[in-house]
């Protein structure tokens, strides 16, 4: 399942690295860094450490994500697909969706 995927792990690692870098520069962040996802099931799996038959295959890197949540380093937040503005950078989009995201990001689309 795409559930908790490698992107979570990479995003969590980068968020923690940036948080530590900023702390070294004198700009500490005392709140968890938000990571937004449109998959409610993967968010629940990331937050819930209870194991069951459907999750026994989960890789160790996914336990890292749970640990970062438990340690208040990151917070995984549900963001409906229609509000995922990062899609403009990561997915092929139909023209109406592209224009919507350009507008949401307050960018200017040029023909």
């Amino acid at each position: 399942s795409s559930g908790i995927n490698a992107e979570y792990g990479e995003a969590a690692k980068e968020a923690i690295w940036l948080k530590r870098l900023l702390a070294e520069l004198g700009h500490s962040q005392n709140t968890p860094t938000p990571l937004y996802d449109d998959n409610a099931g993967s968010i629940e799996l990331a937050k819930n450490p209870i194991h069951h038959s459907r999750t026994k295959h989960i890789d160790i890197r996914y336990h890292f994500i749970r640990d970062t949540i438990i340690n208040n380093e990151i917070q995984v937040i549900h963001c409906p697909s229609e509000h995922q503005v990062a899609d403009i950078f990561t997915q092929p989009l139909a023209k109406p969706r592209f224009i919507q995201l350009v507008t949401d990001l307050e960018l200017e689309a040029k023909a």
Side-chain angles (χ1 to χ4, degrees):
S1 117
S2 63
I4 304 173
N5 54 44
E7 292 174 11
Y8 265 2
E10 290 305 312
K13 284 193 271 185
E14 288 184 29
I16 292 166
W17 182 84
L18 286 169
K19 194 176 205 175
R20 290 178 182 164
L21 175 64
L22 288 170
E24 287 181 28
L25 296 173
H27 300 283
S28 295
Q29 177 186 351
N30 299 320
T31 59
T33 301
L35 296 179
Y36 296 93
D37 186 19
D38 60 357
N39 186 327
S42 67
I43 293 171
E44 286 307 310
L45 190 56
K47 290 179 179 179
N48 186 353
I50 296 173
H51 299 285
H52 50 78
S53 62
R54 290 178 48 205
T55 61
K56 66 183 178 184
H57 68 283
I58 298 293
D59 192 308
I60 191 72
R61 67 185 145 174
Y62 304 129
H63 297 290
F64 165 76
I65 296 162
R66 285 187 183 153
D67 290 342
T68 62
I69 293 169
I70 291 167
N71 295 332
N72 278 331
E73 294 177 284
I74 66 166
Q75 177 184 21
V76 183
I77 301 169
H78 183 257
C79 179
S81 296
E82 60 270 12
H83 298 295
Q84 283 282 11
V85 294
D87 285 354
I88 198 169
F89 304 112
T90 62
Q91 298 183 21
L93 302 169
K95 188 173 182 176
R97 176 76 174 136
F98 176 79
I99 299 216
Q100 169 73 46
L101 293 176
V102 166
T103 302
D104 290 350
L105 290 169
E106 298 180 8
L107 300 173
E108 185 178 320
K110 296 194 179 200

